[in-house]
Amino acid sequence: MKNQIRILGIIVTVLFSTNFSIGQVKIGGIDQYMDYSNISKNISGPNNEYSDMKGSPFLNEEFQTGRVKLRNGKIYEGPLRYDIYSDQIEFQTKDGAVYEIMNPETVEKVSIGENTFLYFEKEEDRLLDGIYEELANGKYTLLAKHRVYLKDAVPAKPYIEPKPATFVKKNSDYLVIDSKGEVIIIKNKKDLTALAEDTSDIQSFLKKNKIKVNKEEDLIAVVNYLNKE
């Protein structure tokens, strides 16, 4: 059965703070995105407060130049970062305030530095909904769902120092979307073999290249190989 999916994503480029046009597309700054999305500057931005916690909830702590492309064709550029824990794309305005991207269903594509992200929505399994990094695309698209969990704080005890709550990164989950829109969650080599029409050929590739499903670079190699066929 075909899965009904909607994908919203992000494309990476070198960004500028001033407006300019590419063809007929006018590109605005991130502050203009706030105005377009009716985001009030009276609110303080995301509610996440991480100052008392160890570790990092972000894919990259620092804001990087990025681009948000809406489904209506409008494009906005500015400092962006991905909060894995809250599963939100954040942006920073010229005055240093931090806000979250609103209404992800209006977003076609978003990019941060050299990373491309997609907002993935699967009607039949809401557990798969969220922001994914796109690692390879073509006939087959490889997506990674990054994971971070918050380890509880440890209160002080006699002779034991207290420990703050700590963000800990977990192994990413991976899935592949084929040209028909069907979604395959990659858990083992059988899942990779099922992607190809010629199973003997892909099995030979997996064996020859000693592919491991828990290695991101190996999964990228497999999907790139399938996209060349």
Side-chain angles (χ1 to χ4, degrees), residues 44-133:
S44 60
N47 295 321
N48 301 322
E49 181 53 66
Y50 300 143
S51 60
D52 296 330
M53 302 173 185
K54 291 187 64 177
S56 175
F58 303 103
L59 186 62
N60 290 294
E61 188 84 26
E62 300 298 322
F63 283 91
Q64 297 176 281
T65 50
R67 172 177 289 184
V68 178
K69 182 180 180 182
L70 304 183
R71 297 179 71 82
N72 62 10
K74 293 180 181 293
I75 298 174
Y76 299 92
E77 298 178 333
L80 301 169
R81 67 181 177 185
Y82 173 41
D83 184 335
I84 302 173
Y85 182 71
S86 68
D87 203 31
Q88 297 284 349
I89 299 291
E90 297 181 354
F91 63 91
Q92 188 176 50
T93 59
K94 290 179 181 179
D95 60 7
V98 177
Y99 300 85
E100 295 174 349
I101 294 294
M102 303 293 289
N103 305 318
E105 68 276 3
T106 66
V107 179
E108 178 186 331
K109 299 177 180 180
V110 187
S111 66
I112 304 175
E114 296 183 353
N115 301 94
T116 299
F117 298 92
L118 305 175
Y119 180 85
F120 177 82
E121 184 177 0
K122 184 168 180 290
E123 294 181 1
E124 295 177 6
D125 189 350
R126 294 298 185 187
L127 293 176
L128 293 178
D129 288 1
I131 296 172
Y132 287 73
E133 182 179 1

Side-chain angles (χ1 to χ4, degrees), residues 15-32:
L15 309 174
F16 304 89
S17 59
T18 57
N19 293 351
F20 64 99
S21 296
I22 297 179
Q24 299 299 315
V25 180
K26 188 175 182 180
I27 300 178
I30 206 70
D31 287 69
Q32 290 173 296

